[in-house]
Amino acid sequence: MKKIFALTLAALLLVSIFAGCSLSPQTSESQVDVPVVTDIDREAVVATVGDKTITMGDYIDLFDSYASYYTSYGYDLYSDAAALEEFQDFVIDILVEEQVIAYQAEQSGFSELSAEKLNEVETKVNEELEYLMSTYRPQAEEEAAADPSIDVEERTKELVEGESEFYTGKAMTYDEFVEWIREYYTETAISEMFREDVLKDITVSDEAIQEWYDTNLESQTTTYTENGGAYKDDQESYEKYGGTPVLYVPEGYSRVLHILIAPEELPSDEYQTKITDMDTLAAEYGELAFDAALSGQENPRLAEILSEYRALESEANALESARMADSLATANDLYSQLEAGADFATLMKENTQDNSILSFDTIASKGLLISNQYESEVDWSKEVKTAFATLQMGQYSQVIQDDEGCHIIYYLADEPAGPVALESVKDGISALLLADLENQEWTAMLDTWKNDGTVEINEELVRSYGAAA
């Protein structure tokens, strides 16, 4: 499940923080002796938070889910007693923290959702179910094609049921799984409302914003002056996902709008083989040409290499032309519409297959960064950059073809170089600092609640489970 499981993975990353020095890949050395529980009472209470309980079943299910994930990556949780105990503590702490928040929320009057919030929860539930059903429906359709007696929708639900244990830690029916998802989002919504109320009075001062700006402007100026290519990566990441505002712009960046029409298929293995063979020939030619220049004697192999290279190049180009044919036809049609006076931004929004534009409104309006002075980790192809160099601001390119597909770019604006004014990034800095302050306060509150006498953990039960996983 894309959203729920993503949260699980995020939690798993915390394991490496508390046990990075003790969890290690499995070796052939013998494991330590850990208790083997053969008769487990899943209803036994392993921890209480006020009037809320955590059962051994809850603990086992979460333990098994996380242990399975970690061991699948080759880590051994059991060869070191201290590592196992840290892992056990990590798992029980997740469960305790969840109940601490629920208990404190109830104590503060946060136990039910408004009709509006319930509708939001139901929307999220339906999105999850739509994702799950669309993920497993193709398999059901394939099975139904071989056996017409199979009902595709019912079979899809069965496949989802079969994966419920992977997501939740225990096998469930489809309806039980749906209810589990609903409870998850309901509890999350209540927790978020409670957290927001607890932290509502936290603010960021203008002095803190100014201090952060001054400190980071100095360091970023050095960074982007020395490595201008990093600016594109960092700025576009900020515009997409937020995070750390970028305060300095190096010389030589511009913005372009972008229409991309990509072929449905990736380059074939045959094409890739020909490209590899061409690279091998080019390397061989370089070595032999150098030797020939030193010796002053012509090598007949050089002519053979050129002939073989040109033949492979012709064949590779033919394969690529066939792969690009439909995309090129579509791009040429869009170019004709531009020539007839169509608006570039409108055509882009209606036709581009560039995910940066489709998924992020800021990028769609401001354009993507481009520069012929720098190379970035996520950069334009040589073909696109070469075409951009011929444009004046306000012009669009002809159709540009590269491995990714067919492009038309529009030279929208130049990026003003130098320090970014504080006022233009003040909101971003405030949001960054506020999130940090809120996290600090929330962590402190959780620590207080965990140690206020409302939490009791049966450590013997916590330690009793491990080897069975």
Side-chain angles (χ1 to χ4, degrees), residues 81-113:
L84 178 59
E85 285 196 4
E86 288 190 45
F87 186 78
Q88 291 166 332
D89 290 341
F90 168 71
V91 173
I92 194 62
D93 188 63
I94 291 174
L95 293 168
V96 166
E97 187 170 293
E98 181 182 86
Q99 293 304 320
V100 163
I101 295 171
Y103 176 74
Q104 295 295 336
E106 281 187 8
Q107 296 299 110
S108 301
F110 292 87
S111 57
E112 295 184 0
L113 296 176

mmCIF file of all heavy atoms in Angstrom, residues 81-113:
data_model
loop_
_atom_site.group_PDB
_atom_site.id
_atom_site.type_symbol
_atom_site.label_atom_id
_atom_site.label_comp_id
_atom_site.label_asym_id
_atom_site.label_seq_id
_atom_site.Cartn_x
_atom_site.Cartn_y
_atom_site.Cartn_z
ATOM 1 N N ALA A 81 22.898 -9.809 21.502
ATOM 2 C CA ALA A 81 21.816 -9.652 22.474
ATOM 3 C C ALA A 81 21.413 -8.194 22.633
ATOM 4 O O ALA A 81 20.225 -7.869 22.744
ATOM 5 C CB ALA A 81 22.241 -10.235 23.822
ATOM 6 N N ALA A 82 22.391 -7.289 22.642
ATOM 7 C CA ALA A 82 22.082 -5.871 22.809
ATOM 8 C C ALA A 82 21.289 -5.344 21.622
ATOM 9 O O ALA A 82 20.365 -4.538 21.775
ATOM 10 C CB ALA A 82 23.374 -5.077 22.979
ATOM 11 N N ALA A 83 21.651 -5.819 20.411
ATOM 12 C CA ALA A 83 20.929 -5.386 19.214
ATOM 13 C C ALA A 83 19.486 -5.846 19.264
ATOM 14 O O ALA A 83 18.560 -5.105 18.912
ATOM 15 C CB ALA A 83 21.615 -5.936 17.963
ATOM 16 N N LEU A 84 19.261 -7.089 19.692
ATOM 17 C CA LEU A 84 17.900 -7.617 19.793
ATOM 18 C C LEU A 84 17.088 -6.809 20.802
ATOM 19 O O LEU A 84 15.931 -6.463 20.550
ATOM 20 C CB LEU A 84 17.926 -9.091 20.194
ATOM 21 C CG LEU A 84 16.544 -9.747 20.390
ATOM 22 C CD1 LEU A 84 15.725 -9.659 19.115
ATOM 23 C CD2 LEU A 84 16.702 -11.189 20.843
ATOM 24 N N GLU A 85 17.700 -6.490 21.953
ATOM 25 C CA GLU A 85 16.974 -5.726 22.970
ATOM 26 C C GLU A 85 16.618 -4.334 22.461
ATOM 27 O O GLU A 85 15.518 -3.836 22.716
ATOM 28 C CB GLU A 85 17.809 -5.618 24.251
ATOM 29 C CG GLU A 85 17.850 -6.906 25.059
ATOM 30 C CD GLU A 85 18.345 -6.686 26.474
ATOM 31 O OE1 GLU A 85 18.581 -5.502 26.847
ATOM 32 O OE2 GLU A 85 18.491 -7.682 27.204
ATOM 33 N N GLU A 86 17.528 -3.707 21.738
ATOM 34 C CA GLU A 86 17.229 -2.388 21.182
ATOM 35 C C GLU A 86 16.089 -2.468 20.178
ATOM 36 O O GLU A 86 15.245 -1.572 20.104
ATOM 37 C CB GLU A 86 18.481 -1.790 20.547
ATOM 38 C CG GLU A 86 19.524 -1.338 21.548
ATOM 39 C CD GLU A 86 20.634 -0.531 20.891
ATOM 40 O OE1 GLU A 86 20.314 0.350 20.073
ATOM 41 O OE2 GLU A 86 21.803 -0.793 21.194
ATOM 42 N N PHE A 87 16.075 -3.537 19.395
ATOM 43 C CA PHE A 87 15.000 -3.709 18.437
ATOM 44 C C PHE A 87 13.672 -3.936 19.152
ATOM 45 O O PHE A 87 12.636 -3.380 18.773
ATOM 46 C CB PHE A 87 15.313 -4.882 17.493
ATOM 47 C CG PHE A 87 14.321 -5.034 16.381
ATOM 48 C CD1 PHE A 87 14.357 -4.198 15.274
ATOM 49 C CD2 PHE A 87 13.341 -6.008 16.438
ATOM 50 C CE1 PHE A 87 13.430 -4.326 14.259
ATOM 51 C CE2 PHE A 87 12.416 -6.154 15.420
ATOM 52 C CZ PHE A 87 12.458 -5.311 14.323
ATOM 53 N N GLN A 88 13.671 -4.760 20.189
ATOM 54 C CA GLN A 88 12.458 -4.985 20.971
ATOM 55 C C GLN A 88 11.956 -3.677 21.580
ATOM 56 O O GLN A 88 10.753 -3.385 21.554
ATOM 57 C CB GLN A 88 12.740 -6.008 22.081
ATOM 58 C CG GLN A 88 12.979 -7.415 21.576
ATOM 59 C CD GLN A 88 13.569 -8.321 22.637
ATOM 60 O OE1 GLN A 88 14.267 -7.861 23.550
ATOM 61 N NE2 GLN A 88 13.302 -9.625 22.529
ATOM 62 N N ASP A 89 12.875 -2.880 22.123
ATOM 63 C CA ASP A 89 12.502 -1.596 22.709
ATOM 64 C C ASP A 89 11.923 -0.658 21.658
ATOM 65 O O ASP A 89 10.976 0.093 21.920
ATOM 66 C CB ASP A 89 13.718 -0.938 23.377
ATOM 67 C CG ASP A 89 14.158 -1.678 24.638
ATOM 68 O OD1 ASP A 89 13.345 -2.455 25.184
ATOM 69 O OD2 ASP A 89 15.318 -1.497 25.052
ATOM 70 N N PHE A 90 12.510 -0.690 20.474
ATOM 71 C CA PHE A 90 12.032 0.151 19.375
ATOM 72 C C PHE A 90 10.594 -0.199 19.018
ATOM 73 O O PHE A 90 9.739 0.676 18.862
ATOM 74 C CB PHE A 90 12.952 -0.027 18.169
ATOM 75 C CG PHE A 90 12.414 0.556 16.892
ATOM 76 C CD1 PHE A 90 12.349 1.922 16.711
ATOM 77 C CD2 PHE A 90 11.990 -0.268 15.866
ATOM 78 C CE1 PHE A 90 11.858 2.455 15.531
ATOM 79 C CE2 PHE A 90 11.495 0.258 14.693
ATOM 80 C CZ PHE A 90 11.434 1.630 14.522
ATOM 81 N N VAL A 91 10.309 -1.490 18.901
ATOM 82 C CA VAL A 91 8.963 -1.931 18.515
ATOM 83 C C VAL A 91 7.938 -1.576 19.576
ATOM 84 O O VAL A 91 6.873 -1.021 19.268
ATOM 85 C CB VAL A 91 8.953 -3.451 18.236
ATOM 86 C CG1 VAL A 91 7.526 -3.940 18.001
ATOM 87 C CG2 VAL A 91 9.825 -3.782 17.023
ATOM 88 N N ILE A 92 8.238 -1.861 20.830
ATOM 89 C CA ILE A 92 7.257 -1.571 21.886
ATOM 90 C C ILE A 92 7.080 -0.066 22.043
ATOM 91 O O ILE A 92 5.975 0.410 22.352
ATOM 92 C CB ILE A 92 7.657 -2.234 23.229
ATOM 93 C CG1 ILE A 92 6.458 -2.222 24.196
ATOM 94 C CG2 ILE A 92 8.856 -1.565 23.839
ATOM 95 C CD1 ILE A 92 5.267 -2.992 23.732
ATOM 96 N N ASP A 93 8.138 0.703 21.786
ATOM 97 C CA ASP A 93 8.023 2.153 21.906
ATOM 98 C C ASP A 93 7.083 2.725 20.848
ATOM 99 O O ASP A 93 6.351 3.685 21.121
ATOM 100 C CB ASP A 93 9.398 2.815 21.793
ATOM 101 C CG ASP A 93 9.348 4.296 22.106
ATOM 102 O OD1 ASP A 93 9.015 4.649 23.255
ATOM 103 O OD2 ASP A 93 9.611 5.107 21.201
ATOM 104 N N ILE A 94 7.107 2.165 19.643
ATOM 105 C CA ILE A 94 6.173 2.610 18.603
ATOM 106 C C ILE A 94 4.740 2.409 19.070
ATOM 107 O O ILE A 94 3.891 3.307 18.943
ATOM 108 C CB ILE A 94 6.416 1.845 17.288
ATOM 109 C CG1 ILE A 94 7.742 2.250 16.654
ATOM 110 C CG2 ILE A 94 5.276 2.115 16.296
ATOM 111 C CD1 ILE A 94 8.103 1.442 15.438
ATOM 112 N N LEU A 95 4.458 1.228 19.610
ATOM 113 C CA LEU A 95 3.102 0.919 20.066
ATOM 114 C C LEU A 95 2.704 1.785 21.257
ATOM 115 O O LEU A 95 1.569 2.276 21.327
ATOM 116 C CB LEU A 95 3.014 -0.562 20.431
ATOM 117 C CG LEU A 95 3.165 -1.534 19.264
ATOM 118 C CD1 LEU A 95 3.366 -2.955 19.772
ATOM 119 C CD2 LEU A 95 1.945 -1.468 18.344
ATOM 120 N N VAL A 96 3.621 1.966 22.195
ATOM 121 C CA VAL A 96 3.333 2.788 23.365
ATOM 122 C C VAL A 96 3.076 4.237 22.957
ATOM 123 O O VAL A 96 2.121 4.876 23.420
ATOM 124 C CB VAL A 96 4.496 2.706 24.380
ATOM 125 C CG1 VAL A 96 4.370 3.814 25.434
ATOM 126 C CG2 VAL A 96 4.525 1.344 25.047
ATOM 127 N N GLU A 97 3.919 4.763 22.088
ATOM 128 C CA GLU A 97 3.777 6.155 21.667
ATOM 129 C C GLU A 97 2.424 6.378 20.989
ATOM 130 O O GLU A 97 1.766 7.401 21.198
ATOM 131 C CB GLU A 97 4.912 6.534 20.731
ATOM 132 C CG GLU A 97 4.944 8.003 20.372
ATOM 133 C CD GLU A 97 6.217 8.382 19.652
ATOM 134 O OE1 GLU A 97 7.291 8.325 20.288
ATOM 135 O OE2 GLU A 97 6.137 8.719 18.454
ATOM 136 N N GLU A 98 2.011 5.421 20.182
ATOM 137 C CA GLU A 98 0.717 5.513 19.515
ATOM 138 C C GLU A 98 -0.418 5.616 20.537
ATOM 139 O O GLU A 98 -1.331 6.444 20.398
ATOM 140 C CB GLU A 98 0.521 4.276 18.629
ATOM 141 C CG GLU A 98 -0.760 4.241 17.849
ATOM 142 C CD GLU A 98 -0.870 2.958 17.055
ATOM 143 O OE1 GLU A 98 -1.357 1.952 17.620
ATOM 144 O OE2 GLU A 98 -0.450 2.939 15.885
ATOM 145 N N GLN A 99 -0.355 4.799 21.562
ATOM 146 C CA GLN A 99 -1.396 4.806 22.588
ATOM 147 C C GLN A 99 -1.272 6.012 23.519
ATOM 148 O O GLN A 99 -2.286 6.515 24.027
ATOM 149 C CB GLN A 99 -1.357 3.510 23.394
ATOM 150 C CG GLN A 99 -1.734 2.273 22.601
ATOM 151 C CD GLN A 99 -3.102 2.410 21.949
ATOM 152 O OE1 GLN A 99 -4.036 2.942 22.530
ATOM 153 N NE2 GLN A 99 -3.211 1.926 20.718
ATOM 154 N N VAL A 100 -0.067 6.485 23.764
ATOM 155 C CA VAL A 100 0.128 7.693 24.564
ATOM 156 C C VAL A 100 -0.576 8.869 23.897
ATOM 157 O O VAL A 100 -1.288 9.649 24.549
ATOM 158 C CB VAL A 100 1.636 7.995 24.745
ATOM 159 C CG1 VAL A 100 1.851 9.445 25.192
ATOM 160 C CG2 VAL A 100 2.245 7.045 25.763
ATOM 161 N N ILE A 101 -0.376 8.996 22.592
ATOM 162 C CA ILE A 101 -1.018 10.102 21.869
ATOM 163 C C ILE A 101 -2.538 9.951 21.913
ATOM 164 O O ILE A 101 -3.262 10.925 22.163
ATOM 165 C CB ILE A 101 -0.516 10.143 20.408
ATOM 166 C CG1 ILE A 101 0.977 10.477 20.378
ATOM 167 C CG2 ILE A 101 -1.307 11.168 19.597
ATOM 168 C CD1 ILE A 101 1.608 10.334 19.007
ATOM 169 N N ALA A 102 -3.023 8.728 21.703
ATOM 170 C CA ALA A 102 -4.469 8.489 21.731
ATOM 171 C C ALA A 102 -5.032 8.796 23.113
ATOM 172 O O ALA A 102 -6.101 9.424 23.238
ATOM 173 C CB ALA A 102 -4.766 7.051 21.337
ATOM 174 N N TYR A 103 -4.334 8.379 24.159
ATOM 175 C CA TYR A 103 -4.800 8.598 25.538
ATOM 176 C C TYR A 103 -4.807 10.087 25.877
ATOM 177 O O TYR A 103 -5.804 10.611 26.400
ATOM 178 C CB TYR A 103 -3.899 7.844 26.516
ATOM 179 C CG TYR A 103 -4.228 8.089 27.964
ATOM 180 C CD1 TYR A 103 -5.348 7.515 28.547
ATOM 181 C CD2 TYR A 103 -3.413 8.924 28.741
ATOM 182 C CE1 TYR A 103 -5.653 7.752 29.893
ATOM 183 C CE2 TYR A 103 -3.704 9.164 30.078
ATOM 184 C CZ TYR A 103 -4.832 8.582 30.642
ATOM 185 O OH TYR A 103 -5.136 8.831 31.961
ATOM 186 N N GLN A 104 -3.720 10.766 25.569
ATOM 187 C CA GLN A 104 -3.639 12.190 25.876
ATOM 188 C C GLN A 104 -4.645 12.993 25.051
ATOM 189 O O GLN A 104 -5.192 13.990 25.523
ATOM 190 C CB GLN A 104 -2.216 12.713 25.633
ATOM 191 C CG GLN A 104 -1.168 12.130 26.553
ATOM 192 C CD GLN A 104 -1.365 12.506 28.002
ATOM 193 O OE1 GLN A 104 -1.990 13.526 28.311
ATOM 194 N NE2 GLN A 104 -0.835 11.686 28.917
ATOM 195 N N ALA A 105 -4.884 12.546 23.819
ATOM 196 C CA ALA A 105 -5.885 13.222 22.982
ATOM 197 C C ALA A 105 -7.264 13.101 23.611
ATOM 198 O O ALA A 105 -8.023 14.076 23.680
ATOM 199 C CB ALA A 105 -5.869 12.632 21.577
ATOM 200 N N GLU A 106 -7.601 11.899 24.083
ATOM 201 C CA GLU A 106 -8.901 11.691 24.737
ATOM 202 C C GLU A 106 -9.013 12.553 25.988
ATOM 203 O O GLU A 106 -10.061 13.158 26.251
ATOM 204 C CB GLU A 106 -9.078 10.217 25.101
ATOM 205 C CG GLU A 106 -9.489 9.342 23.938
ATOM 206 C CD GLU A 106 -9.812 7.928 24.377
ATOM 207 O OE1 GLU A 106 -9.860 7.688 25.609
ATOM 208 O OE2 GLU A 106 -10.013 7.069 23.511
ATOM 209 N N GLN A 107 -7.941 12.590 26.774
ATOM 210 C CA GLN A 107 -7.955 13.386 27.991
ATOM 211 C C GLN A 107 -8.177 14.865 27.695
ATOM 212 O O GLN A 107 -8.711 15.598 28.534
ATOM 213 C CB GLN A 107 -6.633 13.216 28.751
ATOM 214 C CG GLN A 107 -6.367 11.809 29.254
ATOM 215 C CD GLN A 107 -7.439 11.333 30.230
ATOM 216 O OE1 GLN A 107 -8.238 10.464 29.928
ATOM 217 N NE2 GLN A 107 -7.455 11.929 31.419
ATOM 218 N N SER A 108 -7.771 15.288 26.491
ATOM 219 C CA SER A 108 -7.922 16.689 26.104
ATOM 220 C C SER A 108 -9.187 16.938 25.293
ATOM 221 O O SER A 108 -9.382 18.045 24.775
ATOM 222 C CB SER A 108 -6.695 17.145 25.308
ATOM 223 O OG SER A 108 -5.514 17.007 26.071
ATOM 224 N N GLY A 109 -10.014 15.894 25.161
ATOM 225 C CA GLY A 109 -11.284 16.059 24.463
ATOM 226 C C GLY A 109 -11.255 15.783 22.978
ATOM 227 O O GLY A 109 -12.212 16.105 22.262
ATOM 228 N N PHE A 110 -10.170 15.190 22.489
ATOM 229 C CA PHE A 110 -10.063 14.856 21.068
ATOM 230 C C PHE A 110 -10.283 13.356 20.884
ATOM 231 O O PHE A 110 -9.359 12.558 20.973
ATOM 232 C CB PHE A 110 -8.681 15.241 20.526
ATOM 233 C CG PHE A 110 -8.436 16.711 20.467
ATOM 234 C CD1 PHE A 110 -7.938 17.384 21.579
ATOM 235 C CD2 PHE A 110 -8.709 17.428 19.325
ATOM 236 C CE1 PHE A 110 -7.712 18.743 21.543
ATOM 237 C CE2 PHE A 110 -8.482 18.790 19.265
ATOM 238 C CZ PHE A 110 -7.985 19.462 20.382
ATOM 239 N N SER A 111 -11.533 12.990 20.659
ATOM 240 C CA SER A 111 -11.830 11.565 20.497
ATOM 241 C C SER A 111 -12.727 11.278 19.300
ATOM 242 O O SER A 111 -12.858 10.130 18.888
ATOM 243 C CB SER A 111 -12.496 11.008 21.761
ATOM 244 O OG SER A 111 -13.669 11.731 22.065
ATOM 245 N N GLU A 112 -13.341 12.310 18.738
ATOM 246 C CA GLU A 112 -14.239 12.126 17.607
ATOM 247 C C GLU A 112 -13.921 13.145 16.524
ATOM 248 O O GLU A 112 -13.378 14.216 16.798
ATOM 249 C CB GLU A 112 -15.702 12.262 18.048
ATOM 250 C CG GLU A 112 -16.146 11.174 19.017
ATOM 251 C CD GLU A 112 -17.621 11.299 19.358
ATOM 252 O OE1 GLU A 112 -18.263 12.241 18.833
ATOM 253 O OE2 GLU A 112 -18.116 10.477 20.131
ATOM 254 N N LEU A 113 -14.300 12.794 15.300
ATOM 255 C CA LEU A 113 -14.068 13.670 14.160
ATOM 256 C C LEU A 113 -15.367 14.323 13.716
ATOM 257 O O LEU A 113 -16.447 13.738 13.850
ATOM 258 C CB LEU A 113 -13.470 12.882 12.997
ATOM 259 C CG LEU A 113 -12.089 12.265 13.207
ATOM 260 C CD1 LEU A 113 -11.697 11.436 11.991
ATOM 261 C CD2 LEU A 113 -11.033 13.331 13.482
#
